[in-house]
Amino acid sequence: FSNFLKQELLSNMLTVHVVREQEVIGNDIFKRLKNTALIDKYEAYQLLDNQWEALKVDLEIIQTEGFAATKVVDPNMVLKKKSGKEVEIQEGWMGRILPFELVQQTHLKEALNSLQHNENRLLEITATYEEILEQFTEDEKEEDTVNEAKDGFVNAAIIKQAKQIRAESKKTAVAPESYEAKILQLDKLIAEEKATKKQVKTAEATLHLQTKTTIEALTDAQVMELLELKWINPLVTALNNLPKTIVDTLSTKIQALADKYSTTYADVANEIKQAENSLANLIDDLDGNAFDMKGLNEFKNLLHGK
């Protein structure tokens, strides 16, 4: 199926009949699934339909503007409010056909991984802030280093106190786990966070411009590789996942049935019998007139199945 799509969409991208092509691919999917009863062919077709609109737009642009359109980068125009009015301004660039993210994942992976590493570190720092705040006692949360909502820190106050603690620590060592130790830890985190944010901002801007330059300098072979990653791989992967989805759904339903009937009829009957015996034994402890006792005795016989 992957080879079929490459022929239809890549080799024939300049001549393929865009309006009819979805039907052509859909019919091919139906044909391939003809003898696979467990898979709903319309569910498979829906996977194609989910991706077709974006693919169709790409094909129409290429057929109208030529293959060179794949290497074009356009200004990314967005609406912003300025002086109470909405105005259109440029925020970076975007590929006319090729998404920046895809190009970065394929051709600028090292720079992308470095950026993501720093972004993940910022998330870790935020999580550490929360952990330290949880360690604060109620009295410590009343300090000016904690904000009024008691859900975060006041950076300026942290930095100021940390400076004082360092000066005093030359005479008296800071005890581990103490309030002072927490302030010093927070001060280091604040400094690291500030530096990391600056690195992220610079790296984002650099990577963005690198991506623009990379797209504009792509070879035809590289473009074809990226188009395959954008148009074909996601659909093929989604179709290949259908059997797993079916098995997982069946497994979930079977497990639900197993859980529903985990207590068997024999278990229930045994519990009822035990309850009846316990009740019958309690009857022996009761006392009353002859009429009452006769009735209780009959009830006891009933519980014992006599």
Side-chain angles (χ1 to χ4, degrees):
F1 184 60
S2 179
N3 290 333
F4 168 78
L5 291 178
K6 288 177 188 177
Q7 180 64 34
E8 289 290 311
L9 302 176
L10 296 180
S11 300
N12 300 332
M13 72 172 73
L14 294 174
T15 57
V16 66
H17 197 299
V18 179
V19 176
R20 297 177 185 170
E21 187 59 22
Q22 184 179 11
E23 182 181 353
V24 171
I25 297 174
N27 288 337
D28 188 79
I29 291 174
F30 290 163
K31 181 180 177 181
R32 292 172 189 274
L33 294 176
K34 185 177 180 181
N35 297 320
T36 311
L38 277 177
I39 293 181
D40 183 348
K41 65 179 183 179
Y42 294 107
E43 185 178 351
Y45 181 84
Q46 185 62 49
L47 297 176
L48 167 64
D49 191 61
N50 292 344
Q51 299 183 39
W52 183 253
E53 193 57 37
L55 203 160
K56 173 186 170 186
V57 171
D58 286 350
L59 285 171
E60 288 174 342
I61 291 174
I62 292 172
Q63 289 188 357
T64 302
E65 302 177 16
F67 186 76
T70 58
K71 304 176 188 180
V72 174
V73 176
D74 297 317
N76 181 36
M77 306 305 294
V78 296
L79 289 175
K80 292 278 187 178
K81 276 196 172 183
K82 191 174 182 180
S83 302
K85 295 181 180 179
E86 282 196 340
V87 293
E88 194 175 34
I89 63 171
Q90 181 180 349
E91 276 193 0
W93 304 87
M94 59 184 297
R96 186 170 296 178
I97 300 291
L98 299 174
F100 270 37
E101 295 80 3
L102 179 61
V103 175
Q104 290 165 3
Q105 292 165 2
T106 308
H107 294 283
L108 300 167
K109 202 165 186 178
E110 186 176 340
L112 180 62
N113 288 342
S114 176
L115 173 60
Q116 290 174 340
H117 173 77
N118 285 334
E119 289 175 336
N120 290 337
R121 179 54 189 155
L122 288 176
L123 294 176
E124 291 172 359
I125 291 173
T126 299
T128 306
Y129 282 147
E130 294 172 358
E131 291 172 7
I132 296 174
L133 184 59
E134 288 177 2
Q135 297 169 9
F136 269 39
T137 65
E138 292 304 316
D139 289 339
E140 289 171 349
K141 288 181 180 178
E142 295 302 321
E143 296 283 342
D144 61 1
T145 52
V146 180
N147 62 23
E148 291 184 10
K150 312 301 180 191
D151 60 359
F153 297 105
V154 179
N155 287 3
I158 294 284
I159 295 169
K160 183 179 178 181
Q161 276 203 18
K163 188 176 181 181
Q164 294 172 349
I165 293 169
R166 287 195 187 91
E168 293 171 0
S169 67
K170 294 178 181 178
K171 301 177 182 178
T172 307
V174 176
E177 309 300 328
S178 65
Y179 171 75
E180 290 75 14
K182 296 170 191 171
I183 293 299
L184 292 177
Q185 184 182 2
L186 286 168
D187 182 59
K188 288 182 180 179
L189 286 171
I190 290 169
E192 183 185 356
E193 182 181 43
K194 183 179 179 181
T196 305
K197 282 183 175 179
K198 186 176 180 181
Q199 290 174 356
V200 166
K201 187 175 181 180
T202 300
E204 282 178 338
T206 301
L207 179 59
H208 191 77
L209 291 178
Q210 281 182 329
T211 309
K212 176 181 182 295
T213 304
T214 299
I215 291 176
E216 292 170 336
L218 289 170
T219 65
D220 290 356
Q222 287 173 326
V223 170
M224 296 295 277
E225 177 192 7
L226 288 165
L227 289 177
E228 181 179 346
L229 291 172
K230 183 184 180 184
W231 292 350
I232 296 173
N233 285 18
L235 177 57
V236 172
T237 299
L239 288 169
N240 285 339
N241 282 336
L242 278 178
K244 182 179 183 302
T245 302
I246 290 169
V247 172
D248 287 346
T249 301
L250 178 61
S251 176
T252 301
K253 290 180 177 179
I254 291 174
Q255 187 60 53
L257 281 173
D259 293 341
K260 183 178 180 180
Y261 297 107
S262 58
T263 303
T264 65
Y265 174 76
D267 293 334
V268 174
N270 186 49
E271 290 175 7
I272 292 173
K273 189 63 179 176
Q274 290 177 359
E276 289 174 343
N277 290 335
S278 297
L279 183 55
N281 291 333
L282 289 173
I283 290 175
D284 291 335
D285 297 330
L286 297 176
D287 193 14
N289 58 42
F291 184 78
D292 291 337
M293 295 309 295
K294 185 177 180 180
L296 288 170
N297 190 56
E298 288 299 321
F299 182 42
K300 183 178 177 180
N301 291 335
L302 178 65
L303 292 173
H304 285 311
K306 295 180 180 178

